Amino acid sequence: MADEVVLLDFWPSPFGMRVRIALAEKGIDYEGREEDLSNKSPLLLKMNPVNKQIPVLIHKGRPISESLIIVQYIDEAWSNNKSPLLPSDPYQRANARFWADYIDKKIYSTGRLVWGTTGEVQEKAKEELRESFRVLEKELAEKTYFGGDMFGLVDVALIPFYSWFYTLETTANFSITEEFPRLVSWAKRCMQRDSVSNSVPDQYKIYDFLLDLKKKMHSIE
Amino acid sequence: MEEVVLLGFWTSPYVMRVKIALLEKGIEFQYKEERDVFEDKNKSELLLESNPIYKKVPVLIHNGKPICESLIILEYIDEVWKQEQQLFSADPYYRAKARFWIDFFDKKTTTCGKKLWANKGEDQDAAKREFVECLKLLENELGEKPYFGGDHFALLDIALIPITCRFYTYEKLCKFSVEEECPKFMEWVRRCNMRESVSKTLPDPFKVFDFVLEVKKRFQIQ
């Protein structure tokens, strides 16, 4: 089929969520295929031989990997669309890319240490995560979304991690809602968008999944 | 009037990317060399103000507005100074492909790059194997094309060529030869070095080696 779009995905993956949100924002029809990461499909291994990871978007038979690269591809390939994910001004675009990249560098690996470890390692990670949230709240300031009035790349990059908040709070004993009220208001505002609520699983489901994953990780050590 | 300033440091491959891009595009710019990039207390006020989050070079300052992160700077340059031959492909798929390889390469050089000169024994050997594997994958991606961008020297070529000024250092410290492992890759390196933007930007590999030895001494790395 000429415009066939397939997404190789895994339901709890924040990176998969980003792509789901972008596709939904653009109103793009696609076939979502759930991968079993302990038994990766031949298609996944063929389409992403270098990293063997989801998400992979396959458009007209051609694969694109890495969530933010996929989101930008979606924005560029469906560009005559009413929902641009990036602003048109080059400086604002650079700014959006900068913050999406910051989120990519800081939130996943630090967050993982927060819910995945204990003791001193966890405490250090918690402080680092707090600092990142502080920085992001400052960047958000009084805006509706990170891009201003427009829901865009930076919001897409960050909102999947909202599904981790309950887990982070419970495992590391702190309240993101109390410490970062503006960030949480922003998150709830995003969750009111269909594209987001249909793409980001419930926090309690994610909690069960992450706790299970944590047990498996520790039993391997 | 356009005012373009680039904050950099002579050994940074990320700075070299931006310099090459500016030269390729024929954009006039003022270059400001940082005295030291290892300790915050030695960094310039301008750098600390322009990149408060990471405090790193390169930073491009265009009419007073700073842009950080080399790939983001390259995209910005391409969008602001449009020409017939752009750095990024017009096709979103090839743009995504170039971004993918740069991302892959940057992650690899972050994880194994330092180990090549700062570690010894099995750690260094493992890093060497990973690095060579990475170059082989890139060689495969290059295929029979003159450049990663096809017929034209473009984004991916600009992003990858700077690290090659460190090859002499890696080869000496890790005892291997890139030429032996990846001859096609070295052909591409020589082809790129024939371009003025590259030969004017890349520092002398022997000077880079001396600098790495100095850094090792400074931070007491054996």
Side-chain angles (χ1 to χ4, degrees):
Chain A
M1 266 179 284
D3 256 345
E4 193 190 68
V5 182
V6 176
L7 175 63
L8 305 183
D9 200 356
F10 182 51
W11 72 269
S13 163
F15 307 109
M17 290 176 217
R18 288 170 170 175
V19 182
R20 283 173 233 160
I21 295 168
L23 289 165
E25 281 287 318
K26 295 279 197 179
I28 298 164
D29 276 325
Y30 69 98
E31 184 197 334
R33 290 197 203 172
E34 190 71 6
E35 283 285 328
D36 172 3
L37 298 183
S38 61
N39 184 21
K40 293 174 181 175
S41 74
L43 183 63
L44 173 57
L45 299 175
K46 182 175 163 204
M47 291 291 153
N48 190 358
V50 175
N51 294 326
K52 305 177 178 60
Q53 279 169 357
I54 59 94
V56 180
L57 190 79
I58 309 170
H59 182 209
K60 298 183 193 180
R62 302 192 298 188
I64 303 103
S65 312
E66 295 302 308
S67 62
L68 291 183
I69 294 176
I70 300 172
V71 171
Q72 289 194 80
Y73 172 82
I74 289 169
D75 200 40
E76 291 167 9
W78 284 270
S79 63
N80 52 356
N81 185 284
K82 55 179 164 43
S83 318
L85 294 171
L86 278 167
S88 49
D89 171 74
Y91 188 73
Q92 284 178 28
R93 290 162 77 83
N95 198 45
R97 286 175 176 133
F98 176 86
W99 288 106
D101 178 68
Y102 176 86
I103 290 159
D104 239 14
K105 284 177 161 88
K106 301 282 183 182
I107 307 298
Y108 178 78
S109 50
T110 311
R112 218 176 163 206
L113 287 173
V114 174
W115 57 253
T117 65
T118 51
E120 250 184 71
V121 179
Q122 188 189 47
E123 277 308 305
K124 183 166 179 258
K126 191 165 96 179
E127 271 324 298
E128 269 181 47
L129 189 64
R130 273 182 166 136
E131 179 55 26
S132 298
F133 283 164
R134 240 171 255 140
V135 170
L136 286 168
E137 252 199 353
K138 188 170 171 214
E139 174 57 24
L140 176 66
E142 303 301 321
K143 302 194 297 273
T144 310
Y145 299 114
F146 279 90
D149 293 327
M150 204 180 82
F151 178 81
L153 181 72
V154 184
D155 307 282
V156 174
L158 186 59
I159 193 58
F161 295 104
Y162 179 64
S163 67
W164 281 12
F165 280 17
Y166 177 71
T167 309
L168 294 167
E169 290 174 321
T170 312
T171 54
N173 194 31
F174 71 125
S175 168
I176 301 175
T177 312
E178 269 174 40
E179 291 186 38
F180 305 102
R182 262 190 286 159
L183 201 61
V184 174
S185 302
W186 160 82
K188 291 186 171 157
R189 203 175 301 131
C190 290
M191 290 299 290
Q192 282 172 1
R193 297 178 82 85
D194 282 341
S195 65
V196 179
S197 58
N198 291 334
S199 305
V200 178
D202 168 74
Q203 291 195 48
Y204 304 108
K205 261 186 114 177
I206 292 289
Y207 175 74
D208 287 339
F209 172 78
L210 291 178
L211 242 55
D212 203 46
L213 185 61
K214 182 175 174 177
K215 261 186 230 142
K216 288 197 186 113
M217 271 158 59
H218 287 286
S219 70
I220 292 169
E221 277 158 29
Chain B
M1 202 207 63
E2 301 278 8
E3 193 203 43
V4 182
V5 178
L6 174 62
L7 307 183
F9 189 69
W10 70 281
T11 61
S12 162
Y14 305 106
V15 172
M16 290 173 216
R17 289 173 171 174
V18 180
K19 260 196 182 168
I20 294 170
L22 290 166
L23 290 169
E24 285 284 321
K25 290 262 191 183
I27 299 164
E28 277 189 38
F29 65 100
Q30 187 195 12
Y31 177 72
K32 293 195 178 172
E33 174 82 2
E34 286 290 312
R35 196 159 60 93
D36 175 33
V37 287
F38 293 102
E39 286 172 276
D40 285 356
K41 62 179 165 89
N42 296 333
K43 293 175 183 176
S44 71
E45 283 284 331
L46 185 57
L47 176 59
L48 297 174
E49 262 171 37
S50 313
N51 191 356
I53 302 281
Y54 301 120
K55 307 180 176 63
K56 282 182 175 172
V57 291
V59 180
L60 189 80
I61 310 175
H62 182 209
N63 295 335
K65 297 198 286 193
I67 303 105
C68 309
E69 296 300 299
S70 63
L71 183 59
I72 296 174
I73 297 172
L74 258 43
E75 298 217 45
Y76 177 82
I77 289 172
D78 217 34
E79 288 173 7
V80 172
W81 287 275
K82 287 195 195 290
Q83 290 171 337
E84 211 188 294
Q85 200 54 49
Q86 288 282 80
L87 304 177
F88 281 76
S89 167
D91 182 332
Y93 177 68
Y94 292 108
R95 294 163 78 92
K97 252 188 131 180
R99 284 178 180 135
F100 174 83
W101 285 111
I102 297 170
D103 179 67
F104 167 76
F105 179 76
D106 281 356
K107 281 177 174 139
K108 279 288 170 185
T109 46
T110 305
T111 53
C112 66
K114 190 170 178 199
K115 290 184 190 166
L116 294 172
W117 59 266
N119 288 49
K120 284 202 134 75
E122 184 47 44
D123 275 347
Q124 191 187 44
D125 275 339
K128 177 177 79 183
R129 284 192 297 271
E130 219 186 310
F131 187 69
V132 170
E133 208 185 282
C134 169
L135 291 182
K136 288 197 161 134
L137 275 170
L138 289 168
E139 216 180 28
N140 197 43
E141 178 59 24
L142 179 65
E144 299 304 315
K145 305 193 295 284
Y147 297 111
F148 283 93
D151 290 326
H152 299 282
F153 180 76
L155 180 71
L156 191 46
D157 304 281
I158 294 176
L160 298 176
I161 195 65
I163 203 73
T164 64
C165 71
R166 289 189 183 179
F167 280 4
Y168 175 74
T169 303
Y170 295 156
E171 286 172 326
K172 255 207 85 142
L173 295 176
C174 301
K175 304 200 180 14
F176 73 112
S177 159
V178 180
E179 182 75 54
E180 270 171 37
E181 302 278 358
C182 308
K184 284 215 134 122
F185 191 83
M186 285 310 294
E187 259 174 49
W188 165 81
V189 172
R190 284 187 284 270
R191 193 174 299 125
C192 290
N193 273 287
M194 294 195 307
R195 296 183 80 83
E196 219 186 315
S197 65
V198 176
S199 59
K200 268 175 124 174
T201 300
L202 263 50
D204 179 335
F206 303 115
K207 289 206 173 118
V208 173
F209 178 64
D210 286 340
F211 179 79
V212 169
L213 294 182
E214 263 172 50
V215 171
K216 282 172 73 126
K217 232 185 266 165
R218 179 176 166 188
F219 295 103
Q220 284 146 4
I221 301 168
Q222 288 308 314

